[in-house]
Amino acid sequence: DGGITQSPKYLFRKEGQNVTLSCEQNLNHDAMYWYRQDPGQGLRLIYYSQIVNDFQKGDIAEGYSVSREKKESFPLTVTSAQKNPTAFYLCASSPRYNSPLHFGNGTRLTVT
Amino acid sequence: RKEVEQDPGPFNVPEGATVAFNCTYSNSASQSFFWYRQDCRKEPKLLMSVYSSGNEDGRFTAQLNRASQYISLLIRDSKLSDSATYLCVVRPGTYKYIFGTGTRLKVLA
């Protein structure tokens, strides 16, 4: 079955530690995205990538970094510079322009 | 003004009722429109794309009004299982997707 896999589902970290969230897709989609969702708020775009080895900052990129070395993979690193990292992180992909987004099942990150 | 706005609700309706949500968008050049459903603590799932001529999928009907810059979702014969948050998504002609904050629907027995 094709889909997007995010791991882990729950992640706990101490303040000051960097953490990397995994996102893998086998849908052969070109574009991949990272969103953050906080309670009572909409999804906010962190980074997106249209093709391998290329990515662009979204609306809230500060404190985050990404890489896109393979079409299937788009990992997100939450650095210690991110002031409020506790959130629900969603990875998504899209096959082409004007197509809807497909989401992974998310990673819930808690930083204490 | 937010790029995409939705009434947060909650809309509390009895089973069998018809309910409608609107979503307004600010960028008149927006090209693609979608409705997603999100259950509590889960990922959003595509409910339907919204086409210029309007489209229907079973009990769900989506409409686009470009002149007034809004899209709508109509749910007929509401079921308990329709209880969720409904997200409006607009693509303003770039690779970015803009999400509304969602409208909560509770269908009551």
Side-chain angles (χ1 to χ4, degrees):
Chain A
D1 265 351
I4 302 175
T5 301
Q6 288 187 244
S7 60
K9 190 171 181 178
Y10 298 97
L11 191 53
F12 298 88
R13 280 293 183 271
K14 294 290 188 185
E15 200 173 305
Q17 294 178 332
N18 291 355
V19 60
T20 297
L21 281 57
S22 169
C23 177
E24 303 279 331
Q25 55 104 354
N26 59 5
L27 299 168
N28 199 34
H29 288 176
D30 288 320
M32 296 187 75
Y33 301 77
W34 274 106
Y35 287 89
R36 166 183 174 141
Q37 188 174 35
D38 295 281
Q41 294 197 37
L43 277 69
R44 292 184 290 166
L45 181 63
I46 305 172
Y47 268 98
Y48 65 104
S49 167
Q50 299 173 32
I51 55 172
V52 174
N53 292 323
D54 185 56
F55 47 82
Q56 285 78 42
K57 292 182 179 180
D59 301 316
I60 56 164
E62 187 176 346
Y64 299 97
S65 65
V66 293
S67 63
R68 187 86 187 275
E69 297 176 2
K70 299 186 298 181
K71 188 174 185 178
E72 311 81 60
S73 179
F74 191 40
L76 173 75
T77 296
V78 184
T79 75
S80 56
Q82 168 50 231
K83 300 300 179 195
N84 297 295
T86 294
F88 187 39
Y89 289 87
L90 288 156
C91 179
S93 70
S94 171
R96 58 190 171 274
Y97 194 75
N98 282 341
S99 296
L101 284 173
H102 300 251
F103 283 91
N105 54 13
T107 292
R108 203 163 292 275
L109 173 65
T110 302
V111 176
T112 57
Chain B
R1 182 185 173 186
K2 288 184 179 178
E3 290 184 87
V4 176
E5 290 200 73
Q6 294 183 254
D7 182 338
F11 284 55
N12 296 322
V13 302
E15 264 188 296
T18 295
V19 61
F21 312 132
N22 278 350
C23 165
T24 59
Y25 60 94
S26 60
N27 188 333
S28 59
S30 296
Q31 300 183 4
S32 304
F33 308 88
F34 310 97
W35 282 103
Y36 281 74
R37 171 197 170 123
Q38 186 174 26
D39 293 293
C40 189
R41 300 178 72 82
K42 299 281 191 181
E43 76 277 18
K45 293 187 177 174
L46 179 68
L47 183 63
M48 56 199 305
S49 301
V50 186
Y51 302 119
S52 297
S53 55
N55 48 299
E56 191 173 302
D57 183 1
R59 297 181 293 108
F60 299 86
T61 301
Q63 297 279 354
L64 167 63
N65 186 318
R66 284 194 184 274
S68 300
Q69 294 182 210
Y70 74 86
I71 65 172
S72 64
L73 177 68
L74 181 79
I75 305 174
R76 289 182 299 278
D77 189 22
S78 299
K79 312 289 184 194
L80 293 175
S81 57
D82 293 334
S83 297
T85 297
Y86 290 85
L87 305 175
C88 166
V89 183
V90 175
R91 193 165 193 178
T94 67
Y95 273 87
K96 293 174 69 172
Y97 295 78
I98 312 297
F99 284 76
T101 53
T103 297
R104 280 180 57 208
L105 171 66
K106 289 186 178 180
V107 181
L108 308 171

